[in-house]
Amino acid sequence: MLTHCAAALGVLALLTVVPGPDMAVVTRRALAAGPADALRTVGGITAGLLLWGVLSVAGLAAVLAASPGAYLIVKLLGAAYLVFLGAQALWQNRGGAPHPTRTGTGSPAVGNPWRTGLVSNALNPKIAVFYSGLLPTLAPPQLPAAWAMTLLVLLHAALTLTWLGGYALLLSRAGRVLERPGTRRLLGRTTGVALIGLGLVVATSAG
């Protein structure tokens, strides 16, 4: 069982560290409101994973993954949300705009950080496919299916919390660089373009 869990942990770790929408959302939040809000966003992202985990154990994620219509709706909503976040980042860092400065927690300019993380993950149907398709193949056969899935979901959530939390803290260590208006504006624009690109990729993806 330990060997099986170690192999599953390795696969989950690889999937966690691959850059994607979660990292882009955390980056945007860190630039707009600082590391504290970025960590709250990570908390929301982790909560989104746990939500999908509950739905997977209950079998609802498998229903979504097997329903092309429902999958398409959630996929387009998720893509639209990423594009919205990207457009918002570009607007806040547009030419002629005031120099970007870090706002307070929950500022209307960037929204509630925890909710931002939660919504970005809750509208990601790829997680439904992952949890209902790949995750059961990684489950230790020695455990009942529901317990095995719960274990893997908790492992994935812990890895995500650790990885993205560490990334948010790493951004905070670059504080002096990020405090330069020109640097922050450039990074904000880059993050905005990345979020819009990820949204378009999600919207046009076949699976």
Side-chain angles (χ1 to χ4, degrees):
M1 178 175 170
L2 290 178
T3 302
H4 203 105
C5 287
L9 185 62
V11 173
L12 291 173
L14 287 174
L15 292 172
T16 300
V17 301
V18 173
D22 289 346
M23 186 171 287
V25 169
V26 171
T27 302
R28 169 187 172 272
R29 190 74 205 194
L31 294 175
D37 271 20
L39 289 174
R40 293 183 180 92
T41 304
V42 173
I45 290 171
T46 305
L49 290 178
L50 294 175
L51 172 63
W52 278 115
V54 171
L55 294 177
S56 297
V57 173
L60 297 179
V63 174
L64 172 62
S67 172
Y71 181 91
L72 178 62
I73 291 173
V74 175
K75 182 179 76 169
L76 292 179
L77 286 174
Y81 188 64
L82 290 175
V83 171
F84 165 75
L85 292 178
Q88 189 178 53
L90 288 178
W91 175 255
Q92 292 166 352
N93 293 278
R94 69 192 184 280
H99 288 314
T101 56
R102 292 181 178 180
T103 61
T105 301
S107 164
V110 287
N112 181 278
W114 192 88
R115 185 176 62 241
T116 297
L118 175 65
V119 172
S120 67
N121 241 359
L123 293 179
N124 185 356
K126 296 289 186 180
I127 301 177
V129 174
F130 169 61
Y131 277 7
S132 61
L134 178 60
L135 211 60
T137 68
L138 302 175
Q142 298 88 347
L143 295 177
W147 284 104
M149 284 290 291
T150 300
L151 174 62
L152 293 180
V153 168
L154 291 176
L155 282 175
H156 189 211
L159 287 169
T160 299
L161 184 64
T162 302
W163 173 253
L164 291 179
Y167 173 68
L169 293 176
L170 180 63
L171 286 178
S172 70
R173 294 186 64 86
R176 287 189 176 182
V177 176
L178 294 181
E179 288 300 331
R180 299 172 184 169
T183 301
R184 296 193 58 206
R185 180 166 286 158
L186 175 61
L187 289 175
R189 291 172 178 172
T190 302
T191 303
V193 171
L195 282 166
I196 292 174
L198 287 168
L200 294 177
V201 169
V202 169
T204 57
S205 62

